Amino acid sequence: MVVLILTACSAGLRGHLTRWMMEVSPGVFVGKLNPRLRDHVWALTIEDGSGRALLVYKDRSAEQGFSVRSSDHDWRPTDFDGVTMMRRSSGSGSSMKKGWSAASRYRRRRG
């Protein structure tokens, strides 16, 4: 089973992917692909170059039973002692604010 999540991609790529996968929601594709076709679909997605992409697929060699690939995405798969976890990059493109949350500031003011 393969799940491909696209954000801000071209309509041509979405149409091309429907040859092998079913679009269950806008930008979310699901299908049962062999490894060769999965790599071909990922190469097409990277080659398109528009938007962001996450690919999740079954992988027997991984501890969790699946692997993740990302392209031009804030969330990156990172290996921690054999377990893949998603890490959000803390670069300048991050929309997260530093400091206390609005809820904690509100509680502090209320006393």
Side-chain angles (χ1 to χ4, degrees):
M1 180 68 76
V2 176
V3 178
L4 178 62
I5 304 168
L6 302 174
T7 307
C9 68
S10 67
L13 176 63
R14 288 176 59 186
H16 196 71
L17 291 175
T18 57
R19 293 179 183 176
W20 303 287
M21 304 173 83
M22 181 171 51
E23 190 171 14
V24 295
S25 182
V28 180
F29 294 86
V30 178
K32 187 174 181 182
L33 308 176
N34 62 37
R36 183 176 163 205
L37 185 56
R38 179 191 67 223
D39 292 338
H40 175 69
V41 165
W42 184 247
L44 286 173
T45 305
I46 299 300
E47 184 180 302
D48 183 60
S50 64
R52 300 179 293 187
L54 279 174
L55 178 75
V56 181
Y57 60 95
K58 184 178 177 179
D59 186 3
R60 288 190 214 168
S61 63
E63 180 72 26
Q64 295 159 304
F66 63 90
S67 290
V68 180
R69 293 181 189 174
S70 70
S71 171
D72 197 28
H73 210 279
D74 290 341
W75 294 89
R76 303 229 181 261
T78 308
D79 184 89
F80 290 102
D81 294 330
V83 177
T84 302
M85 301 179 95
M86 298 302 285
R87 172 181 274 184
R88 185 171 188 152
S89 56
S90 59
S92 59
S94 178
S95 61
M96 295 178 69
K97 296 179 184 176
K98 292 185 178 183
W100 296 97
S101 68
S104 67
R105 280 184 266 152
Y106 176 75
R107 282 193 298 268
R108 214 174 337 140
R109 277 186 263 151
R110 283 187 54 193

